[in-house]
Amino acid sequence: MTSESARSRRRPGGRTGRVRAQVLDAVRAELAERGYDGLGLDGVAARAGVHRATVYRRWRDVGGLLADLLEATTSDDDWQPQDTGSLQGDLTVLNQENLAAMTAQPSIAAALIAASFRSEEAARGLRRLWEDRYARCEVIVGRAVRRGELPAGTDARVLLVAATAPLYHHLVLLRTPPDPDLPGLAARAAALAAFAGAFVKDPPVAGAPG
Amino acid sequence: MTSESARSRRRPGGRTGRVRAQVLDAVRAELAERGYDGLGLDGVAARAGVHRATVYRRWRDVGGLLADLLEATTSDDDWQPQDTGSLQGDLTVLNQENLAAMTAQPSIAAALIAASFRSEEAARGLRRLWEDRYARCEVIVGRAVRRGELPAGTDARVLLVAATAPLYHHLVLLRTPPDPDLPGLAARAAALAAFAGAFVKDPPVAGAPG
């Protein structure tokens, strides 16, 4: 977040770009101080020193602000999943990063998930974010296939969802306290299932009628 | 739902019980006609023919209504996971039932999940529901251990979350269209991981220093 924020302020862009940077910095600050439920367009406009009408016209609602903040944070970042040399290691680190993002104070990811149930803008922003992140993670599966850890034809997306879903299930839906063992446990379970061929697309059916 | 509704109407209980049955029937009907976003305490009170003040005092907000509806639906029901004779079969049927509940029109489960981000009453009701359902499902794992499918010491809750989380991840968070293959795929992946010992609690560490 911090490095992106610094980058966006250095970015060329004239008045529109400056207004966006001021508004998104204000969203970050309001979220940190007041949390999701204290976030409002009026407060953001006042803190940013930007006309209320501009903020309402361009971002529409709190979901729109959060979605744009995430867009700014992720669209030009160069995040890639870490290469630890093993499938289980890569998935563990990915889950640890997701846990850190979801439990950060403030967590923009957690705020956007909450907002996605109230704002169509936030829901769209969140779908784009998930899609972007899962697409970037597919390299984890490609590397494991090349290393011979996984059978060719393994469906990267299904494997990645299996590895990452338990963490979100606990944090977002079950609302259990964050468990530091869960990233590794969920990664190990998904890796073991994958080694056993659980995620191979269209496996040949033995003895199927020709 | 239907059988529970009929049961609750037959239940003895005097005025308080009658008011509750009328209000919960109204919630069901409003949810079916207007959806979650059209659900309001005033509309429910009017449809139920109950004083607004009574509804506000007893249920507080929409989340309270939904939580009580779920409580009424589940607290005295006799739902048990099906016994298909295999771990993978039991988990597949469980996921199919969850998929049906989440995509029903209207889905009380989906409405309660949405409400849990706005209402503390709904969040509490949902936590109780998850806890109740996962506890009832632990018998699936016990049966598989007794059949010799699974190693003793398998952590039932971690296995059940691994088997069911991908479905909720897709439906609630990723918001992808319901995939009829997913219940079976997620069940198979969790079963294969479980067979490989992924969910054994505190496995002995080979060669650990004494």
Side-chain angles (χ1 to χ4, degrees), chain A residues 5 11 34 37 39 42 52 56 60 82 84 92 112 122 124 133 151 161 184-185 188 208:
Chain A
S5 166
R11 210 182 290 154
R34 304 156 61 90
D37 282 318
L39 195 62
D42 293 343
R52 283 176 72 243
Y56 276 87
R60 306 176 72 104
Q82 279 189 43
T84 67
T92 299
L112 189 70
R124 267 197 298 274
R133 289 294 153 138
V161 167
L185 279 172
R188 185 168 73 113

Side-chain angles (χ1 to χ4, degrees), chain B residues 186-203:
Chain B
R188 187 168 72 111
L192 287 170
F195 299 154
F199 307 113
V200 174
K201 267 182 271 203
D202 305 321

Side-chain angles (χ1 to χ4, degrees), chain B residues 10-187:
Chain B
R10 284 195 306 271
R11 209 182 292 154
R15 205 181 95 80
T16 305
R18 275 201 310 279
V19 165
R20 185 185 184 210
Q22 282 166 275
V23 166
L24 296 188
D25 282 347
V27 173
R28 248 180 234 105
E30 290 278 298
L31 202 56
E33 268 178 32
R34 306 155 59 91
Y36 172 74
D37 282 319
L39 195 63
L41 269 65
D42 293 343
V44 166
R47 182 186 280 258
V50 167
H51 280 300
R52 282 176 73 242
T54 304
V55 176
Y56 277 86
R57 192 174 58 241
R58 185 150 162 204
W59 286 276
R60 306 177 70 103
D61 61 21
V62 165
L65 286 172
L66 289 168
D68 196 35
L69 178 56
L70 256 162
E71 174 75 19
T73 308
T74 59
S75 66
D76 58 354
D77 78 354
D78 51 5
W79 181 86
Q80 293 295 335
Q82 279 189 43
D83 185 354
T84 67
S86 77
L87 177 65
Q88 187 177 330
D90 288 2
L91 295 175
T92 299
V93 171
L94 176 62
N95 273 341
Q96 286 166 341
E97 291 182 9
N98 289 342
L99 178 61
M102 288 294 296
T103 55
Q105 297 293 338
S107 169
I108 296 172
L112 189 69
I113 289 174
S116 73
F117 290 91
R118 304 193 203 184
S119 149
E120 196 40 53
E121 298 283 318
R124 266 196 299 273
L126 188 60
R127 275 196 297 272
R128 275 197 304 271
L129 175 72
W130 290 118
E131 181 55 36
D132 173 70
R133 289 295 151 139
Y134 279 111
R136 292 192 201 200
C137 286
E138 291 184 1
V139 67
I140 291 175
V141 178
R143 288 196 297 248
V145 170
R146 280 195 299 280
R147 278 191 302 261
E149 279 192 280
L150 286 182
T154 296
D155 187 318
R157 192 62 63 100
V158 183
L159 191 169
L160 291 165
V161 167
T164 54
L167 192 80
Y168 290 103
H169 198 60
H170 274 289
L171 295 177
V172 180
L173 301 178
L174 308 185
R175 318 269 174 101
T176 43
D179 174 357
D181 292 337
L182 191 59
L185 278 172

